[in-house]
Amino acid sequence: MTFDSTTRRGFLTSTAALGLAGVACADHHASPAEGGSATAEGPLFDISIAEWSVHNAIRKGKITNLDFPGLARDEFGLGAVEYVNSLFADQRTDADYLAELKGRCDDAGVKSLLIMIDREGQVGAASESERVKTAERHKRWIAAAAELGCHSVRVNASSDGSFFDQARYAADGLVKLAEVAEPYGLNVLVENHGGYSSHGAWLATVMELAGNPRVGTLPDFGNFRIKGRRNNPIETYDNYKGVAQLMPYAKAVSAKTNDFDEEGNETTLDYMRMMELVVAWGYRGYVGIEYEGRRLGEYEGVKASKVLLERCREMLTSRYV
């Protein structure tokens, strides 16, 4: 992938245009997402669960990663799961373990959708040799995801340098990852997960620069902090505009929740507004619950999240099916 002055001008133009994209969602429909579509018989969207929702239960030894598919079905009534690699990092190349996990999914009637990959190198490293190494380090997780029957892996578009440099490094790194994933039939998805990846126009432009059908996004409703924490100045991006800008490239969606009021509404986001952004783009795949609250326990938070998503789905179905 090469970048010249014409590419840079196009980047700057598209970035400015994408800054206005948050109000245009109803006029554009993305390609059908992985994992489902709306029909007269089927739901407007399906609901899955991200493993991070129960990471404390796993880390405290209450359950294991092998128990996760059964928990999704028996405790929450959900038929699809999204794994987090750090919760079974030592088993990524263990064929017997992966076969056991797949068997547990089959027994529970649960689909494996994707693996969220962290700590395997910098996808958008400034050095091309480092980007190549990072792609190779992700290969073992890509192979594991394929073994489990996933459609994608989720990666982070971390980088260094200027706003524009980071975009072109990240785009190139993602294309390299897509080339690794292609023989396995998997997609490579980027979540807004801090840094410039939490800048909706930046990440949308990275998608355009990559221009690869296997490269897409996993919009997270809540991860729009670009920088800052504790006593440092915090820079954030508008959640609704960011999701609208990322939905044209989405092959999965992360429904972040933190807390609920007495009527079951999420207290930090207008969920009906957010879910309408999702379905208005034509997305008909899985929406993954990712509960991160502290007031409710993990299981209670997941259940409250499911009820809220089901209510949104019921209200939106009459408009979009």
Side-chain angles (χ1 to χ4, degrees), residues 162-243:
S162 70
F163 189 88
F164 175 72
D165 285 342
Q166 290 195 39
R168 64 191 183 93
Y169 296 152
D172 184 65
L174 289 167
V175 170
K176 286 177 168 54
L177 275 171
E179 291 170 351
V180 173
E182 197 279 333
Y184 295 93
L186 265 66
N187 303 305
V188 176
L189 311 184
V190 183
E191 180 182 356
N192 46 303
H193 210 202
Y196 282 134
S197 76
S198 291
H199 188 295
W202 181 89
L203 187 50
T205 304
V206 169
M207 294 296 106
E208 294 294 327
L209 289 173
N212 188 297
R214 291 198 177 274
V215 175
T217 61
L218 192 164
D220 183 293
F221 294 172
N223 288 351
F224 285 99
R225 178 183 292 186
I226 297 171
K227 65 179 180 180
R229 59 176 52 193
R230 296 192 178 96
N231 297 324
N232 297 319
I234 294 175
E235 180 183 352
T236 62
Y237 198 82
D238 182 87
N239 301 60
Y240 306 99
K241 183 169 77 172
V243 168

Side-chain angles (χ1 to χ4, degrees), residues 98-172:
L98 295 174
E100 172 69 13
L101 181 56
K102 188 175 186 303
R104 298 236 186 157
C105 288
D106 293 342
D107 291 343
V110 169
K111 292 182 180 180
S112 295
L113 301 181
L114 57 88
I115 299 178
M116 298 182 179
I117 305 174
D118 301 303
R119 301 177 183 176
E120 290 291 356
Q122 195 173 33
V123 171
S127 164
E128 182 172 12
S129 63
E130 286 301 314
R131 296 196 295 273
V132 171
K133 290 179 183 177
T134 295
E136 283 300 310
R137 289 184 65 178
H138 279 73
K139 184 175 182 178
R140 49 198 172 186
W141 284 114
I142 290 169
E147 184 66 25
L148 293 171
C150 298
H151 63 69
S152 300
V153 293
R154 187 279 275 149
V155 303
N156 298 302
S158 59
S159 187
D160 294 306
S162 70
F163 189 88
F164 175 72
D165 285 342
Q166 290 195 39
R168 64 191 183 93
Y169 296 152
D172 184 65

